Amino acid sequence: MKIYSKENAFDSALNRIRYLYEEFEEIIVGFSAGKDSVATLEMALIVAKEKKRLPLKVLFIDQEAEWQGTIDLVKETMYRKDIEPLWFQMPMVISNNASSTERFSYCWNEEEKDLWIHEKDPISIKENTYGTDRFHELFGEIIKQDYKDKKACYLSGVRTEE
C-alpha cells in the first residue's frame, strides 16, 4: 500500500538528512558510484553545506574488480574539496559468484599484485585494522572502530522502487 504525502520526495529526503545532522555528530555517506548513492551523496552535500559541516565523509570499499567507469567516478568524487575521502583498498574476502570451484575472491592480495584489475590510489586506506576481512562486515566495523567515541550515522542510498 502506498501512502502519499504533500511533500515531494526530494524535499522529504533533504528534511530527513537535516534531522540526521541534528541527531548525529558524524555523518558518513556510503558510496558505490551507483545512481542511488550518487543521489544520496548530492543531497547530503546540500545539507552539509547548509549546516556548515563540510567536508562530508564519503566511504567506498573498493572490491578491486570494479568497472573502470566506477573507479573513474569514485576518484572524481574522492578528490572533491567538499569530500573527506574514506576510500578503502585493503585486503578483504568477498563471495565469488564467478566461479563454481572457488567460493571466495581475495581482494587486494599483495602476493597477486600483478593480477589486480586496477592500481591502488594514493589517497586510499590500504591497511585493514578492523578485525574482519569480510566485505559486508567491514562497514559496521569501520564505523564502530573509527567513530567509537562519537554518535555516528551511516547513510546509504537504496531504491525502493524503480
Side-chain angles (χ1 to χ4, degrees):
M1 174 165 111
K2 291 185 180 182
I3 300 172
Y4 294 94
S5 170
K6 292 179 182 174
E7 186 176 46
N8 68 51
F10 180 74
D11 290 337
S12 179
L14 288 178
N15 286 331
R16 288 177 187 191
I17 295 169
R18 286 181 186 109
Y19 170 78
L20 296 174
Y21 270 91
E22 298 298 325
E23 293 292 315
F24 293 92
E25 184 179 354
E26 296 288 348
I27 304 290
I28 302 103
V29 174
F31 192 68
S32 68
K35 61 187 175 187
D36 303 311
S37 69
V38 169
T40 302
L41 168 70
E42 293 301 331
M43 288 185 288
L45 280 166
I46 290 168
V47 177
K49 186 175 181 180
E50 281 176 11
K51 302 281 186 187
K52 299 184 180 1
R53 302 241 327 246
L54 291 173
L56 177 64
K57 292 171 179 60
V58 177
L59 185 147
F60 174 67
I61 300 180
D62 191 332
Q63 300 172 77
E64 183 198 332
E66 305 280 1
W67 293 101
Q68 187 59 52
T70 298
I71 294 305
D72 292 345
L73 182 56
V74 167
K75 188 169 193 158
E76 179 184 317
T77 301
M78 294 299 183
Y79 278 86
R80 289 173 59 166
K81 288 182 182 39
D82 52 359
I83 299 294
E84 181 180 324
L86 302 172
W87 184 353
F88 292 89
Q89 292 179 312
M90 59 192 183
M92 73 185 99
V93 179
I94 60 174
S95 296
N96 184 355
N97 297 320
S99 171
S100 59
T101 59
E102 298 296 325
R103 185 171 176 204
F104 298 107
S105 289
Y106 299 88
C107 306
W108 302 112
N109 182 347
E110 288 290 331
E111 294 172 9
E112 296 180 346
K113 194 174 184 176
D114 57 323
L115 299 176
W116 289 353
I117 306 299
H118 62 93
E119 293 298 314
K120 291 183 178 180
D121 193 86
I123 67 167
S124 72
I125 299 160
K126 297 165 183 67
E127 186 178 0
N128 185 340
T129 60
Y130 298 99
T132 184
D133 61 0
R134 301 302 175 145
F135 175 77
H136 289 289
E137 294 173 6
L138 281 167
F139 295 90
E141 292 303 317
I142 290 166
I143 302 301
K144 196 183 309 180
Q145 183 173 315
D146 292 352
Y147 302 96
K148 66 181 172 193
D149 297 326
K150 297 181 178 180
K151 194 173 177 187
C153 172
Y154 180 79
L155 197 62
S156 61
V158 180
R159 82 184 74 93
T160 59
E161 195 173 302
E162 194 69 36

